[in-house]
Structure formats: structure tokens, C-alpha cells
Amino acid sequence: MTARAQIGVTGLAVMGRNLARNFARHGYTVAVHNRSYGKTQSLMEEAGDEGDFVPSESMADFVASLERPRKVVIMVKAGAATDAVIDELLPLLEDGDIVVDAGNAHFPDTIRREEALSARGLHFVGTGVSGGEEGALLGPSIMPGGTRESYESLGPILEAVSAKVDGTPCCTYVGPNGAGHFVKMVHNGIEYADMQLIAEAYDLLRAGLGASAAEIGEIFAAWNEGDLESFLIEITADVLRHVDAETGQAFVDIVLDQAEQKGTGRWTVQNGLDLGVPITGIAEATFARALSGGVPQREAGRRALPANAEPLQVADRDAFVEDVRQALYASKVVAYSQGFDQIAAASAEHGWDIDRGAMARIWRGGCIIRARFLNRITEAYERDPQLPLLLSDEYFTDAVGNGLSAWRRVVARAASAGIPAPAFSSSLAYYDGVRAERLPAALIQAQRDFFGAHTYRRTDREGTFHTLWSGDRSEQEA
């Protein structure tokens, strides 16, 4: 087979086939392959006229159709399936070839794979791709890791097919080995928080206003015209206004209230714990999904637990809607701030040297968490690339501060009315914790020293100390 394809895609489920079509639409000759040849034939029948495709039935023919250095994009299920495809590819590849894993891999797997392939002279590029099926076809946000050398060859192709904002590609080199998939994982964690916050805002509006789903959809549509403009707010308005054809009811009212997850939120929370980074909004959003699926516990709770709650009575409809809007904006900023803290911590831990401003820039288009205020985040890191806390940037200090009273009212009213708002309330608690002059952690450390001789430091002099609690309670330097 003549080697003429500039890039190849193996794995032609919806994401893979749409990404292959995107490459072809941008003028690249694309080799396509799938374990079952039927999907390759289906792609050729339905989209073969969109560009120049080279279909192959075997992996050997697929690899042979690619120009050197070969660029192979793997779009299969994360985990064992990805390892199986890599194992099939390896005997067919040569020094300098590039293998791109564009699935939702866990970044430690990417680090392992990159190490193994680099030892064989190959480039392994763990690449986050966000935007869903539509993004893959029309332009996603792309987060490639790996070597800088591989990006010199691969980057121009990925930038060409990525989303564009103000003419700037939503794709950039992220960092070595697992950096790309790590950033995509945190992106998904922020997505969890964002979705939970939107759901809590909807719940509060519905309880407080007694409005229909469609009416609340109109509120979200109006919000999408301002600072909250984002993909998730936009689709929320559409979902809330949608009517179920079979029952005539609001679509949201016939969907079972049990949210599922594929694991990226859980990975983000686990890594936050490993790094010691308080990503409380993401954690509460992940636990809220778990709680929603805890059917036996929820059934027992409904039967046994009293509410002792006050009705959520709204005297001024417009003022209440504005309070919820401001609380939503402030809480969203906290979620992004925590996510960028996590990226900074992991970058330092692994030596990735990730540019947080660049990550905000490539998230402005194509991806699920694209939002207007990502421009503001980009600007904040341009002003100070080492910014220790996004919330401390002057723009966000003012923006969140202006809504602080509304945020407190919303959290207090939700608690009084017995309406669960874990992401709103934990975000506010984080805000108050990070701005506090002094925290009760002093007592916790004293307790730890009492029962486990874990020592403590003092405010008035250097050193580490231990009090002889079971003895004469004198203090000694540890």
C-alpha cells in the first residue's frame, strides 16, 4: 500500500469517526481503521466525499498507508482496550513514529505508556480532547502532552482542526508525558462542579419561584447573555425548555434523578487528596452524583428523616433570581480557581511546567466548560503567571466580592429551606477559609499532638515542639 496518509485514526466509534472527518475536511489525507471493518465501510459510505480517506481492513495496511513519521491517533475505550491497540501497533512502527491516545485515559497510565514507548524510540502523546461528538467534528479543545519534538510535527495538524477563538487555536502544547491527560482530567472535574452548581441554581429557582421548567429555562437563557455566558448555561436553557413528546411534560421532570459518571471526576478528587489541594467544589459535585445514585439510602432517608425546614418564600422575584445568579457566578469562579491550583500543584510535582494561562485560553472554545470568563482567567495569568490564587486577582476579587452578600443569602436560605446545595455551600466555605486571618486548624494540631505526639509549630518562634500531655505538660523542642 502506498504511504500517502498524513494522519491516521484507529477506532471509529462516534468520536473517532468525527475526528477523522474533521482532519479530512481540513485537507489532510486520513488513514482510517477499525477492529470491525463494518464501521470503516460505514464511514466511507456516509462521509467518504468529505475529503481524502484511505480505508484499511488490517492494522498492517493501516500503518503502511501512513507517511513517515507516522501519526496514529487511537480513539478507543480507555484502559485495557487502549493497551491492546498499542500492543498491536508496536511491531509495525519505527523510530520517530508518533502514537496519540486521544481517549479519556487516566494520566498515570499515560505516564506508563509514554515511558514504555519512548524506550522503543517512539513518541507517545497523551492528548485530552474536549467537546463531545460535535466538537470532534467541528473543532474541539485539544490538550496534547508528550515531547516538544512530537508537537513540532503533530501540533500544526491538531491546531488546524481545533476550535478557534478570535483566530487563536484552542490547542497548545501542555507538557511532558501525562500532562495533557492530567489537564483534561481537571477540566472534567471542573465540568462536574459547574454542572452541579447549575443544577443547584435550578433547584433553588424552582423551589423559590414555583416556576415551570420552561420558565426557568428562560432565566438561564437570559443569564447566558451576560457574565455567565457558557456552553453549559446555554444547553441548560435548551434542556429546561424541552418537552417530552410522549407525555407532554417538561423533559427534565421525566428523567430519573440519578446522575451517573465515567470516573474522571473521581480521579480528579483522588488526585486532589494525593496532592493536598482543597478542590472542595469538585469533590462535593462528585459526591452529589454518588448520593443521587444511592437508592437504598435515599429511600430510607425519605421515610425516616425529618426536615424541620422553613418554606422558601420569595417576596421579590427579581431580587431572588439575581441573588442566585451572583451565587452561581461566585461559586463557578471558586471551582475554576481550585482546578487551576490543582494543575499548578501537579505541574510542580511532576516537573511539567504547565502554563495555566494557556490552559484557560484553549478552554475558551470547543470544550464543554467553555465560558466567557475564561478570557478573564487568561488575562489574570498574563498579569501574573505565578498567581498563587485566582481569586486574589483584582478582577475576580471585585467580581466575587460584589456578589458576596447574595451568595451568603442563597446558602443560608437553602439551608433554612432544607434544599441541598453542597457545591454552593462548600464553595462559600472555601472562600471564607482561604481569606480567614486564623483558622481552627490550630486546635486540630494541638489535638494531634495530645493523642499522637505529632508535634506543632508556634506563632512566636521558630521550631517544632511537643507538649508532655501525660506528664508534667512541659514543652520540649522536637
Side-chain angles (χ1 to χ4, degrees), residues 65-77:
S65 71
L66 289 161
E67 295 176 351
R68 296 288 314 277
R70 301 181 183 94
K71 303 172 188 67
V72 180
V73 179
I74 300 173
M75 288 295 282
V76 301
K77 189 175 180 181

Side-chain angles (χ1 to χ4, degrees), residues 438-447:
R438 185 167 171 81
L439 293 167
L443 176 58
I444 293 170
Q445 195 61 19
Q447 292 169 331

Side-chain angles (χ1 to χ4, degrees), residues 249-314:
Q249 297 182 58
F251 173 74
V252 73
D253 290 338
I254 59 94
V255 176
L256 188 65
D257 62 336
Q258 296 174 20
E260 298 179 2
Q261 53 184 306
K262 290 188 174 180
T264 48
R266 184 168 61 249
W267 292 343
T268 310
V269 175
Q270 288 168 339
N271 176 258
L273 291 170
D274 290 340
L275 292 171
V277 178
I279 49 168
T280 55
I282 297 170
E284 288 295 349
T286 306
F287 289 133
R289 292 197 190 188
L291 187 150
S292 76
V295 176
Q297 293 84 2
R298 291 180 65 192
E299 287 179 350
R302 276 193 292 265
R303 287 194 304 268
L305 303 180
N308 292 352
E310 302 170 1
L312 183 56
Q313 296 178 332
V314 173

